[in-house]
Each structure stands twice: as structure tokens, then as C-alpha cells.
Amino acid sequence: MHIQFPSKPTLPRACWEGRITAGSPGMPPETETELVPQSSDKTLYCEAEPPPTVEKVKPARENSETDLEIEDNEKFFTTGQKELYLEACKLVGVVPVSYFIRNMEESYVNLNHHGLGPRGTKAIAIALVSNTAVTKLELEDNCIMEEGVLSLVEMLQENYYLQEMNISNNHLGLEGARIISDFFERNSSSIWNLELSGNDFKEESAAPLCQALSTNYRIKKLDLSHNQFSDIGGEQLGQMLAINVGLTSLDLSWNNFHTRGAVALCNGLRGNVTLTKLDLSMNGLGNEGAVALGEVLRLNSCLVYLDVGGNDIGNEGASKISKGLESNESLRVLKLFLNPISMDGAILLILAIKRNPKSRMEELDISNVLVSEQFMKTLDGVYAVHPQLDVVFKAVQGLSAKKTIFLLTNPMKLIQNYADQHKITVMDFFKSLNPTGTMKMSVDEFQKVMIEQTKVPLNQYQVREVIKKLDEKTGMVNFSFLNTMKP
């Protein structure tokens, strides 16, 4: 059903499927009761007069609270918001959601898994038309379908306060994709974070979505994971990425991209200047797709986070990716977990980082790879050049139990034990290592001092664990927060 509004309203237009007036006679009581469904063929419009505002009277304390009681008695409540929602529920024939009534003046509202359906979603949308408090709305897994998403986009035509919306796992399908795309292509809402995961989007849904994203630059974060896009969808998404200058984060994990789609996506990424985070995990890029990824890493100067875990990338693909890492100056996190990479491929990756003096890599995730002690010696050399790097691997093969315990003993616990024995604080221990006596040191200097000090002998890996706890991600470690730790 299309929602009709009067041509020149004097306030946000909210009242759909009948006449809703805040404070009207016959307003339903503030309890959850079954409501009689109303006819859905009425003309839809809103009152032209804004509801009056009153200060909420502080009620006398009762022995027990009802579902609808407002706990913060110092807050003001706009007369009409709650009543509007209750009347909307009456008109569309659904039971009100008490959680929504209690939280409709909070900035974050989580209605995931509430079984709203299209009509329940419509009642929520009616109440949100004039709502100025809610900025983030979660509606995942509510079976809202295309009728419900139509209500939401019509609400967004009036509501410019809502900024983040999650409508994942709602069976939107092709028609839902068209409704969403139509709206975002022609409308400038305030939504910048949109989650559309698991909505049965197939290849034909990619075209309208990409058309909208080619012109809408307000959306910064988009989740299209767990859908059914394949190579044709990859080509359309690649074309969109080549011209989009809004998106900074895109999640395409758990789709069906293979070599052709991966190459097209990567072609679009070459010239993209805004996307910093891309998740392509659990697809089928393979070694050929890794060739295109390596080229992207060589040319792209924006990507900071790239997840290509579970993509059937072997040592050959790791070799191509390492070529890109040799010259990349922006990437900080690369996840290659659950790919068939062996220790040989892992060595290629870490040596590529070592050869790049401008590398900003902070995390390399190869956590399914079993490495050797020789690999660890090579990694020590990489850490010496890039102390900010953290390589996550499965385990070191052939290590004795005693040596493994030595490598993995919690370094902060060892430092705490030393501090306890000498009746000092942990912060005193760290300050004693700093020639300037201050609470900050560069990562490089701190690493060198920690390796050389003899008070608490630590190995390279334990020192790295300490750095991870103290690193401000600015190239400096800060141990001032430790001043609360007593001896």
C-alpha cells in the first residue's frame, strides 16, 4: 500500500491508515493488549496541528513498575509520541512493543528478533516520522519484507535524525532491493550506516543497488554480506566502486564471488579514493583473484583493512599478494585466515613487509598456519624493522613443552610479580626504564629497552604482548594508566 500525505503539512507527516491524533479521545491505555485490526484501505494523512508539549509529572513511587513506566523522572516527554505509536498499533492491528515505548526517546533502539512483520514495522515507522531522539535503529530478523521496508523508506523521507539502520535478514529480495535503491537514488536522507546482510539479494538485485550507490555519497558504511551476489554482481559493484566517493567500509563476505567477479571488483578499487575497509572473506577468489588483489595493493593508497579469509588462496596467491605488500603504504590489517597457505607462503608475506620500509602493517592474520622455529627467527628480523607488526599464526611446530610455556607466559604477570617483590608499582617499573622518567616512549625505543633490561627477562614475543597492551596506535606506548595498580 502506498502511503499518501497531504501536499503542504505544517509538521512531519506521521499518520498512516486512519486519523491519528495525539491525545485523542479513546486513546488506548498504557498497557500491552490485543488490538482489533482496522481496515487498510483508508486514505492516509496526518493532523496539521502539532501536539502540545507538557512537562511530565513525577509520579508517586509504586511497589512495582509497569512495562510502560518511565524510569527517568527528570526527563521531559513529548505528549503524542507514545500515544501516536499506540494508536498506530490499534489501526494496523498489532500488539504494541513495550520495549519500544520505553526506549523511543533513547538514541539507540534495538528491536532485533521481535517478530514485527510488515504491520508491526509500519507502526514503528509511523511513530518515528516525527521522532528526533532515535539515531540508530536495529530491526534485524523481523520478517518485514517489501511492505515493511516501504514503510521505512517513506518514514525516512520525513525523519532526518535517524543515521544508522540495520534491516538484515528480513527476506527483502529483489523488490525490497528496488524499494531501497529507489529511495537512496533520489533522496538525501541522513542514513550513513546501512546493514542489508542476509536479505536474499541475488544477481538481479545488484544493478539497482549499484545504480543508487553511484549517485548517493551519504552512505559511508554498507553491509551486503550473506547474500547471493556472484560474478555479474561483482562486475556491477566494481563499476560502482570506481566512481563512488562516499563509501568508507564495505562488507561483501559470504557471497559467491569467484575469479571474474574478484577481478572486476579489484579493477574498481584501483581508482577508489575513499574505501578504507573491505571484507571479502568466505568467497571464492582463488589464486587468480589474488593476482588482482596484489595489483590493487600496489596501486591503491586508501585501503587500511582487507579481509580475504576463506578464499582458496594458496602459496601462489600469497606470492602475488606479497608483491603488492612490497610497495603498499596504507594497509594496516590483512586477514588471510582459512586459506591453504603453508609456511612457505607465510615467509613470502613477512619478507615482503620487511622489504617495504614505508609499510604500516600492524596485523597479518595467518592463524591457521603452523610455523617452524626458523620462521620465528625470520620473523624476529621483520619485527626489528617493523615493531608495530603483529603476525598471528597457529603454533610453532617442534617446540618442547618447556619452551612453549616460556614463550607464552603472560609478561604482565611476570612484571607484576617483580613489582610485588620490590614493593613498587608496575608504573614505577616502566618509568625506571625511561631515561626521561616520563610515562611515554616511542615503540621502537620501548622495545629495545625491554629486550635489554635484566630485571624481568622477556623474549621478543612477550615484549610484543606488552607493547600491544600499552600501544596508543600512534607509534608511542603509554603506561600512565598503570598508576592505579598497587604493589
Side-chain angles (χ1 to χ4, degrees), residues 140-371:
E140 182 175 350
D141 184 30
N142 275 288
C143 200
I144 70 176
M145 298 186 286
E146 61 244 39
E147 183 183 342
V149 83
L150 181 60
S151 299
L152 291 172
V153 299
E154 295 199 347
M155 172 269 293
L156 289 173
Q157 291 178 21
E158 305 297 322
N159 184 317
Y160 284 86
Y161 294 89
L162 193 61
Q163 300 175 26
E164 302 178 72
M165 188 166 68
N166 177 9
I167 48 176
S168 299
N169 299 303
N170 274 299
H171 308 288
L172 302 186
L174 175 59
E175 189 56 34
R178 285 174 175 164
I179 292 170
I180 292 169
S181 304
D182 229 19
F183 171 73
F184 283 108
E185 184 176 1
R186 60 184 169 80
N187 194 283
S188 56
S189 78
S190 297
I191 296 292
W192 63 267
N193 181 5
L194 183 61
E195 296 180 53
L196 297 168
S197 175
N199 270 307
D200 306 320
F201 292 156
K202 298 182 174 65
E203 291 285 58
E204 58 268 26
S205 297
L209 288 169
C210 290
Q211 178 65 33
L213 290 166
S214 295
T215 56
N216 185 304
Y217 301 146
R218 289 179 179 266
I219 296 177
K220 304 298 182 185
K221 187 176 180 181
L222 179 64
D223 184 353
L224 289 171
S225 63
H226 292 269
N227 282 295
Q228 299 169 47
F229 297 124
S230 189
D231 289 339
I232 295 175
E235 291 176 346
Q236 291 166 333
L237 285 162
Q239 292 169 11
M240 178 273 294
L241 287 172
I243 59 176
N244 179 281
V245 292
L247 281 173
T248 60
S249 175
L250 179 60
D251 189 346
L252 294 172
S253 61
W254 294 92
N255 277 278
N256 300 314
F257 301 117
H258 294 90
T259 301
R260 178 179 154 195
V263 171
L265 276 169
C266 290
N267 286 338
L269 284 171
R270 288 185 182 188
N272 186 282
V273 294
T274 58
L275 196 71
T276 60
K277 183 175 181 178
L278 177 62
D279 190 343
L280 284 170
S281 60
M282 302 304 166
N283 280 283
L285 275 59
N287 287 328
E288 293 183 41
V291 174
L293 281 174
E295 190 65 8
V296 166
L297 292 177
R298 188 177 69 85
L299 299 173
N300 183 285
S301 59
C302 284
L303 271 181
V304 172
Y305 178 106
L306 177 61
D307 189 345
V308 285
N311 268 284
D312 197 29
I313 297 172
N315 289 343
E316 181 184 346
S319 173
K320 302 301 181 182
I321 291 174
S322 68
K323 294 294 183 183
L325 291 176
E326 288 182 3
S327 56
N328 184 280
E329 298 178 20
S330 63
L331 195 69
R332 298 188 182 187
V333 178
L334 175 60
K335 292 186 175 290
L336 286 162
F337 177 57
L338 286 181
N339 282 297
I341 296 174
S342 71
M343 188 172 58
D344 292 338
I347 288 177
L348 291 175
L349 292 166
I350 63 172
L351 288 179
I353 296 171
K354 182 180 181 181
R355 284 193 290 268
N356 181 358
K358 295 183 178 180
S359 174
R360 302 182 69 185
M361 282 289 295
E362 295 176 0
E363 180 183 343
L364 174 62
D365 185 351
I366 48 171
S367 48
N368 60 307
V369 178
L370 187 66
V371 301

